[in-house]
Amino acid sequence: DDGELGAESPRFSQPENLSAAKVRLWKRQTAVLTKYGRYGDAVSATTAAGVGERTHYDWLEADTLGYRARFDAARNHYADTRERLMHDRLEDPQGNRGSDILLIFQLKGLRPDKWREAALTVDDAAKDTLKELRKLRREELRQEKEEKEKEE
């Protein structure tokens, strides 16, 4: 296996009626996306495909030939392979197979919505409101106490 995208990887049909130049561009983009499926980072993918890194980012920005959606699919495929690796390690925890800690951090970066710890953020307005409510309650208690003392 040369590390290319597997059979389950996202495949996009080349649009019909492309000029020869656009066909060459499609193939260059596909090479980068295929390498991304193996390496999981733009620098390695573009280097392995023989394409400048800046070109990759230009394609993303301009969405040349629908590159952005195809890149998102390649990125999701790579994240899927990392999750599969994690599951394989859980099923067979023996052997020297790399760093579990690094895999955890990689999954947190690739799929933060799924793997990153939930961080509780408290709005300052909510803090201020609670502070004010506590202050009001203390004042109420103080007034009740004074009224009770007057009655006695």
Side-chain angles (χ1 to χ4, degrees):
D1 180 10
D2 64 358
E4 302 298 338
L5 293 175
E8 311 84 43
S9 67
R11 297 287 181 200
F12 295 92
S13 298
Q14 178 180 305
E16 295 180 17
N17 302 323
L18 291 180
S19 67
K22 295 266 183 173
V23 168
R24 285 191 301 277
L25 175 59
W26 179 272
K27 288 180 179 180
R28 288 178 66 210
Q29 289 178 341
T30 300
V32 171
L33 297 173
T34 300
K35 296 302 181 182
Y36 191 92
R38 176 179 184 184
Y39 299 115
D41 73 275
V43 173
S44 298
T46 55
T47 300
V51 173
E53 184 182 359
R54 180 70 250 159
T55 300
H56 159 74
Y57 289 109
D58 290 344
W59 290 340
L60 279 174
E61 186 176 330
D63 198 21
T64 308
L65 296 177
Y67 186 74
R68 192 176 306 130
R70 293 185 295 141
F71 176 73
D72 288 344
R75 189 172 192 280
N76 282 328
H77 174 73
Y78 180 76
D80 289 343
T81 65
R82 301 291 87 191
E83 286 183 348
R84 180 71 251 157
L85 177 60
M86 178 194 63
H87 292 295
D88 290 347
R89 288 183 182 186
L90 290 171
E91 291 172 9
D92 182 16
Q94 303 301 315
N96 180 6
R97 64 209 191 249
S99 170
D100 291 337
I101 301 297
L102 290 177
L103 179 59
I104 290 167
F105 280 107
Q106 187 177 45
L107 284 168
K108 287 180 180 185
L110 289 169
R111 297 239 166 101
D113 54 315
K114 185 174 184 179
W115 296 106
R116 189 169 286 153
E117 294 87 1
L120 178 62
T121 57
V122 178
D123 186 5
D124 285 339
K127 287 182 189 178
D128 293 342
T129 301
L130 284 172
K131 188 176 180 179
E132 190 62 31
L133 287 172
R134 288 183 184 121
K135 182 179 172 183
L136 289 171
R137 182 63 183 147
R138 282 193 300 273
E139 181 61 27
E140 284 178 351
L141 291 172
R142 187 189 60 74
Q143 287 176 357
E144 288 175 8
K145 183 178 177 183
E146 286 178 3
E147 288 176 10
K148 220 177 199 182
E149 288 174 356
K150 286 182 185 178
E151 290 177 0
E152 293 177 358

